[in-house]
Amino acid sequence: MAVAKVVIDVAAAAIDSLFDYEIPENLEGSVQPGVRVVVPFGPRKVMGFVTELTSESDFESLKEIISVMDHIPVLTKELLDLSKWLQEETLCYRISAMQAMLPAAFKAKYKKEVWLLADEDELPDSWKIAAEGREVFPFEELDKHQIPSSQVTRMVQEGLIDIKYIVKGKNRVKRDTYIELAVDEQVLLEAIEDLGNQAKKQRLVLEFFSKNPRPILLNDLIKKLQTTKGPIDQLIEKKILKRVKKEVYRDPYQKDTTERTKPLILTDQQQAAIEPIHQSIDQNKHEVFLLHGVTGSGKTEIYLQSIERVINEGKEAIVLVPEISLTPQMVTRFKERFGGEVAVLHSALSQGEKYDEWRKIQRKEVSVVVGARSAVFAPFENLGIIIIDEEHETSYKQEDYPKYHAREVAKYRGRAHQCPVVLGSATPTLESYARASKGVYKLLELTDRVNEQDLPNIEIVDMRTELEKGNRSMFSESLTEKIQDRLDKNEQIVLLLNRRGYSSFVMCRECGETIQCEHCDISMTYHQRQHKLKCHYCNAERRMPKTCPNCESDAIRFFGTGTQKVEEALNTQFETARVIRMDVDTTSRKGAHEKLLNQFGRGEADILLGTQMIAKGLDFKNVTLVGVIAADSMLHLPDFRASERSFQLLTQVSGRAGRHELPGEVVVQTYTPEHYSVVLASEYDYEGFFQREMNFRKQVGYPPYYFMVLINLSHENHVQVNQMANELANELAKNLSKESILLGPTPSPMLRIKDRYRYQCMIKYKRKEEVDQALRSVLEHFKREVNQNKLQMTIDFDPYYFM
């Protein structure tokens, strides 16, 4: 008996295991590990993933697999193993791990089509009957004509046919209509002779094909000949021409006409840094490198030349970048060097674009993937290097299940493929730098900029002194003078504000009432363009009230500073300045990041004002001044990484100035100028910051001295979640050793989100095996409540957010 072990496409604790199904004779050879199948599950039919094949089962009577959805596996053997590892590492459901690896298109409903790649005379008779002269036809025709599945699989493998999934709804395989000749040259010439004087347009079309016998896009043909569809349709009816649908990829970057670049000559420092990476590539050896290089030190050129070496050996590369805003510039750099070898995967692509990019990778049509976090799962089978740029970025940690960190997945895949993993940053995480200091990672240093320019001078401005001087503007005297100076010289300015919206909150000056979200314990943020208050946690919106809802006073005012408010102030104070604002509101539309950055790059604006998304990776020749409006807004968050994030942000944004010939300057405005993260960032003293922060982490027992896991419980009933949180703590205490530290239960810093009350426990630990055991017993203990959807429990290893 042939048996397939299947993971069912239902994310639930009771179903999180492998189910045995018999493989019917007609599907033998088609059912392979990594394909999706349709199986009976209870009263319904569901999708599942085959993980392995076997010849025996512990059960006597098995249900049969109904059909196969893929004739080429969508998950490789390595990715199947990785999904098992992810399940164990993050305590997620196996199906959640598998779905995280695939584009959203695979979660939709499909219509299958057969595409003929061979000439009709190469096909068996049964296929000719099913095709009925069509090059593309519904897959159901094969079932109707009883064509065995094993024959379908064999013909896919031999390249005679392709099976494509047309996603119902928006996400389809994109096809364009081409017109091509249906007759040979002799018949064509006879057809032109036979046309009467009335058929001038038909003659024009056929004469075009006599000189250009290749297929042409229907729209291009109509434009070229300035004709209509009518004469073309008449020639198709006469069977002289034929209409053909051809698949085309949706390429988000196809309009770019990038000129190819050549490798640059490396500096001595770059050469010293790249040699160990090249050795690792040549020796097929897995090592993790931490490339610690100041901003502008040429890390990207090291990435490009390392990838070139990998491609020359016939292998593949994955490059991860943290922000969508960085991706256009990064993609351009890679496309300029490697042309059509590059695929792109990130969340700003449409579902169809993502699906097409993923298929390019699966079909081995590209060798390099550039993308955000999920690109780490690209289905390459011969990886030669994985690069994570700006490795310190929090966006590499997935906040939904499975709560993986892309760096850990990259290391797993690096081990599986015996290839190097390169982590690059000017401000690495403390954990990564500590591992490099201990020799767990190999440290590669770039201390100088490639253009031998000095790093820009950073001036710290104490905003308390500005207030004493009577300056109530959001710009200090120094920043105001420097902005005006750059405007006079036609140089560009980048201004960073670590907030979005118009102002942080709305408060009544009479009674002190702040307007809170009705569903979350947080004040709402005012957005001027829509004249609305928004909650940034549950997306609730309401109109801005004219009077205080509590005391009905009209003394209702905006407090705090948002990007819209800064933009308004810039327009008032510098009337001639052209300002581009980049924040969540202005970049929500598809392609907006790229459009705004291109405008700034072309010099169509003097000032780029934005939130964190403009702090890193951007490279503009004419930027000579960077201003940080509220440097300490992160320092007062209840988060042990607040100082580290502030140091990283200040260092990264400072690196945007003076990257080319013109020298740069930075002005940092702060109310806490004495804080060590501000002082050491102004001196570019990463080593000093590392030592200072490590001492603090050691004293309080935080990473990298301990690992951490955060367990969050949420429930609609406040009393019940409080009781369950205490139960949770008791259950954990029973299973943890003395070297682990249990903190809590405590209410979450934001007690209520989306009308659910939230409590949390934290475990600091040294050995993961022991904690896994304790957490599994907790999951078992609360299984009934979770299955009934009353209680929601999340487990987050190495958490980045504690709110």
Side-chain angles (χ1 to χ4, degrees):
M1 179 169 63
V3 176
K5 293 196 176 289
V6 176
V7 175
I8 300 298
D9 186 25
V10 178
I15 299 166
D16 191 28
S17 56
L18 298 178
F19 289 82
D20 289 1
Y21 284 90
E22 188 174 346
I23 304 170
E25 271 184 45
N26 66 317
L27 294 183
E28 281 186 15
S30 298
V31 176
Q32 308 165 58
V35 301
R36 294 170 304 147
V37 289
V38 177
V39 293
F41 193 75
R44 58 193 171 136
K45 295 175 185 175
V46 297
M47 187 183 87
F49 288 84
V50 176
T51 61
E52 58 183 290
L53 304 183
T54 178
S55 56
E56 52 190 41
S57 172
D58 295 337
F59 304 95
E60 286 179 22
S61 160
L62 296 180
K63 290 181 180 178
E64 287 189 344
I65 291 172
I66 296 167
S67 64
V68 179
M69 290 183 73
D70 310 299
H71 288 273
I72 293 176
V74 294
L75 293 175
T76 62
K77 166 76 169 70
E78 182 228 340
L79 290 178
L80 286 171
D81 293 343
L82 175 58
S83 72
K84 181 71 181 154
W85 177 83
L86 260 185
Q87 179 190 23
E88 290 163 359
E89 279 295 299
T90 65
L91 298 181
C92 70
Y93 301 129
R94 182 85 180 268
I95 190 67
S96 303
M98 290 173 159
Q99 295 286 26
M101 298 177 179
L102 294 169
F106 287 95
K107 296 161 199 164
K109 290 180 181 173
Y110 290 90
K111 187 175 97 189
K112 276 205 290 192
E113 284 185 347
V114 180
W115 288 51
L116 301 182
L117 306 178
D119 292 333
E120 202 170 307
D121 55 7
E122 292 180 62
L123 300 174
D125 290 342
S126 56
W127 284 75
K128 291 175 190 168
I129 297 164
E132 294 176 341
R134 296 167 293 179
E135 292 191 8
V136 179
F137 58 91
F139 188 85
E140 294 79 62
E141 298 287 339
L142 299 183
D143 293 335
K144 205 188 288 179
H145 292 86
Q146 298 179 334
I147 292 171
S149 184
S150 55
Q151 193 180 58
V152 178
T153 300
R154 182 177 55 76
M155 290 184 71
V156 169
Q157 289 166 348
E158 288 175 9
L160 300 174
I161 62 162
D162 196 2
I163 306 297
K164 296 188 177 150
Y165 299 93
I166 310 304
V167 184
K168 291 179 184 175
K170 287 183 185 175
N171 185 36
R172 284 196 157 86
V173 169
K174 190 181 178 199
R175 291 175 295 174
D176 282 346
T177 303
Y178 282 77
I179 303 299
E180 60 181 50
L181 282 168
V183 295
D184 62 25
E185 190 184 353
Q186 187 58 42
V187 177
L188 173 65
L189 294 172
E190 286 169 12
I192 294 171
E193 288 292 319
D194 292 345
L195 283 174
N197 292 330
Q198 302 302 313
K200 286 178 184 169
K201 290 283 185 185
Q202 289 183 43
R203 181 186 296 278
L204 186 68
V205 172
L206 292 186
E207 282 173 350
F208 172 82
F209 273 102
S210 70
K211 293 169 190 160
N212 309 280
R214 301 175 75 174
I216 181 171
L217 268 170
L218 172 60
N219 291 342
D220 288 356
L221 182 62
I222 289 169
K223 269 187 210 160
K224 254 189 172 79
L225 302 182
Q226 295 182 327
T227 184
T228 61
K229 275 179 70 184
I232 298 167
D233 288 341
Q234 287 162 346
L235 290 166
I236 289 168
E237 273 178 44
K238 293 176 182 175
K239 298 196 172 167
I240 300 169
L241 298 181
K242 62 181 176 182
R243 188 183 286 110
V244 178
K245 292 276 189 187
K246 293 194 178 182
E247 178 189 354
V248 290
Y249 286 128
R250 282 158 282 223
D251 183 354
Y253 297 93
Q254 67 185 354
K255 296 186 189 104
D256 296 353
T257 49
T258 48
E259 287 182 28
R260 295 295 286 270
T261 61
K262 290 192 165 63
L264 305 175
I265 296 166
L266 299 180
T267 64
D268 291 346
Q269 277 198 348
Q270 284 176 310
Q271 193 60 47
I274 205 169
E275 276 170 11
I277 300 172
H278 281 181
Q279 278 174 12
S280 181
I281 292 166
D282 296 344
Q283 293 166 10
N284 294 327
K285 188 176 170 190
H286 169 61
E287 291 177 289
V288 182
F289 296 96
L290 179 62
L291 181 59
H292 177 214
V294 298
T295 55
S297 58
K299 294 186 287 294
T300 307
E301 187 61 28
I302 288 178
Y303 303 157
L304 289 164
Q305 294 195 23
S306 299
I307 290 167
E308 188 168 15
R309 198 168 189 107
V310 161
I311 291 174
N312 290 341
E313 289 192 7
K315 293 187 176 181
E316 301 137 347
I318 293 174
V319 184
L320 301 188
V321 291
E323 290 275 358
I324 245 41
S325 59
L326 290 185
T327 314
Q329 280 201 325
M330 203 56 144
V331 168
T332 303
R333 297 280 299 272
F334 280 82
K335 289 228 171 212
E336 283 171 348
R337 190 67 57 90
F338 302 118
E341 289 288 317
V342 182
V344 189
L345 288 174
H346 61 67
S347 61
L349 301 184
S350 70
Q351 206 179 83
E353 285 168 347
K354 265 189 225 164
Y355 176 53
D356 285 354
E357 293 293 295
W358 184 89
R359 284 190 307 147
K360 282 185 202 170
I361 303 161
Q362 192 205 27
R363 292 168 166 186
K364 299 179 172 50
E365 292 172 14
V366 294
S367 306
V368 183
V369 170
V370 181
R373 181 179 60 230
S374 62
V376 76
F377 298 116
F380 281 140
E381 293 184 67
N382 194 13
L383 270 171
I385 193 167
I386 304 174
I387 293 165
I388 304 185
D389 189 35
E390 310 290 4
E391 73 89 32
H392 62 278
E393 280 294 324
T394 55
S395 58
Y396 287 127
K397 176 72 189 289
Q398 165 97 342
E399 289 308 307
D400 302 323
Y401 271 113
K403 290 176 177 281
Y404 68 89
H405 196 296
R407 180 184 59 235
E408 300 310 308
V409 176
K411 282 154 61 176
Y412 176 94
R413 296 199 73 185
R415 285 191 296 274
H417 289 271
Q418 282 302 297
C419 72
V421 173
V422 180
L423 312 175
S425 176
T427 53
T429 61
L430 257 70
E431 291 89 330
S432 290
Y433 200 74
R435 283 175 188 152
S437 305
K438 278 184 161 184
V440 179
Y441 298 168
K442 287 201 169 179
L443 183 62
L444 310 172
E445 298 263 23
L446 297 173
T447 55
D448 302 325
R449 285 186 152 187
V450 282
N451 60 4
E452 295 178 357
Q453 281 272 26
D454 290 333
L455 286 161
N457 178 54
I458 300 179
E459 177 190 347
I460 299 175
V461 177
D462 186 345
M463 292 305 281
R464 296 170 301 191
T465 312
E466 293 290 313
L467 277 174
E468 284 166 17
K469 287 189 216 164
N471 179 9
R472 304 222 169 270
S473 154
M474 56 184 74
F475 310 117
S476 61
E477 284 179 13
S478 176
L479 184 57
T480 304
E481 282 171 22
K482 286 182 165 66
I483 290 174
Q484 191 57 58
D485 175 60
R486 294 325 190 270
L487 293 173
D488 295 342
K489 291 178 180 170
N490 286 326
E491 292 171 6
Q492 288 176 302
I493 301 135
V494 169
L495 293 181
L496 172 88
L497 179 71
N498 203 17
R499 291 205 186 102
R500 67 188 191 195
Y502 185 80
S503 61
S504 304
F505 60 97
V506 173
M507 189 173 83
C508 172
R509 287 193 168 179
E510 292 276 326
C511 69
E513 175 83 0
T514 57
I515 298 184
Q516 300 273 329
C517 173
E518 291 173 5
H519 311 284
C520 309
D521 287 339
I522 190 78
S523 55
M524 300 186 87
T525 301
Y526 176 58
H527 287 249
Q528 189 191 34
R529 187 182 285 178
Q530 299 98 345
H531 196 55
K532 278 182 180 175
L533 293 166
K534 292 184 183 180
C535 173
H536 289 165
Y537 284 86
C538 72
N539 296 322
E541 293 183 1
R542 63 188 284 190
R543 299 295 299 172
M544 173 66 198
K546 290 178 180 167
T547 59
C548 170
N550 183 47
C551 71
E552 297 188 352
S553 158
D554 61 1
I556 193 157
R557 297 287 181 272
F558 311 123
F559 286 83
T561 308
T563 40
Q564 292 176 17
K565 207 170 181 180
V566 178
E567 183 182 27
E568 217 172 73
L570 284 168
N571 290 332
T572 306
Q573 214 159 330
F574 307 98
E575 289 179 13
T576 60
R578 298 163 300 164
V579 181
I580 285 178
R581 174 164 62 88
M582 272 187 81
D583 57 20
V584 171
D585 298 324
T586 62
T587 57
S588 54
R589 294 186 66 175
K590 190 174 185 305
H593 289 91
E594 196 170 1
K595 187 180 168 193
L596 293 173
L597 290 175
N598 286 343
Q599 280 177 357
F600 190 67
R602 290 193 299 267
E604 291 170 22
D606 307 299
I607 301 173
L608 178 65
L609 164 68
T611 50
Q612 282 187 33
M613 63 176 72
I614 65 163
K616 52 254 167 189
L618 305 180
D619 189 350
F620 295 110
K621 289 182 180 180
N622 203 31
V623 171
T624 59
L625 176 64
V626 167
V628 183
I629 308 293
D632 37 23
S633 58
M634 296 169 85
L635 282 174
H636 311 299
L637 294 173
D639 180 352
F640 74 89
R641 290 192 180 94
S643 298
E644 182 181 12
R645 286 185 183 150
S646 295
F647 178 86
Q648 287 166 343
L649 189 68
L650 291 175
T651 307
Q652 291 287 342
V653 77
S654 301
R656 299 315 107 212
R659 292 175 71 88
H660 294 268
E661 287 80 28
L662 299 168
E665 264 188 296
V666 182
V667 177
V668 174
Q669 298 186 166
T670 172
Y671 287 93
T672 50
E674 66 286 345
H675 194 283
Y676 65 90
S677 67
V678 177
V679 173
L680 294 169
S682 74
E683 296 166 358
Y684 298 102
D685 186 359
Y686 179 85
E687 191 65 42
F689 175 79
F690 174 76
Q691 298 301 343
R692 180 83 183 256
E693 189 69 7
M694 286 290 276
N695 288 338
F696 159 70
R697 300 271 183 99
K698 191 173 188 179
Q699 285 167 20
V700 290
Y702 279 127
Y705 294 99
Y706 277 89
F707 296 108
M708 291 168 69
V709 60
L710 184 70
I711 306 105
N712 239 307
L713 296 182
S714 78
H715 198 287
E716 289 172 356
N717 185 304
H718 192 174
V719 175
Q720 275 186 271
V721 75
N722 191 357
Q723 287 171 353
M724 287 175 174
N726 283 302
E727 255 182 77
L728 168 75
N730 292 335
E731 189 67 24
L732 285 170
K734 279 193 279 182
N735 292 287
L736 291 170
S737 70
K738 285 179 182 172
E739 71 170 4
S740 294
I741 301 165
L742 176 62
L743 304 172
T746 58
S748 294
M750 278 180 57
L751 175 62
R752 188 172 55 110
I753 290 183
K754 298 181 184 175
D755 291 321
R756 295 184 71 89
Y757 293 90
R758 305 158 70 245
Y759 275 71
Q760 61 189 34
C761 284
M762 171 87 75
I763 307 170
K764 296 179 184 179
Y765 64 94
K766 298 274 190 184
R767 288 186 307 116
K768 191 168 187 290
E769 308 77 43
E770 178 204 311
V771 175
D772 281 351
Q773 203 176 336
L775 292 171
R776 285 198 172 91
S777 76
V778 159
L779 288 168
E780 191 59 40
H781 183 83
F782 288 104
K783 198 174 188 175
R784 191 166 58 86
E785 288 87 349
V786 171
N787 283 345
Q788 290 168 352
N789 285 330
K790 290 178 182 173
L791 179 73
Q792 287 178 5
M793 182 189 295
T794 61
I795 295 169
D796 191 1
F797 288 94
D798 300 320
Y800 274 69
Y801 296 101
F802 301 88
M803 302 301 278

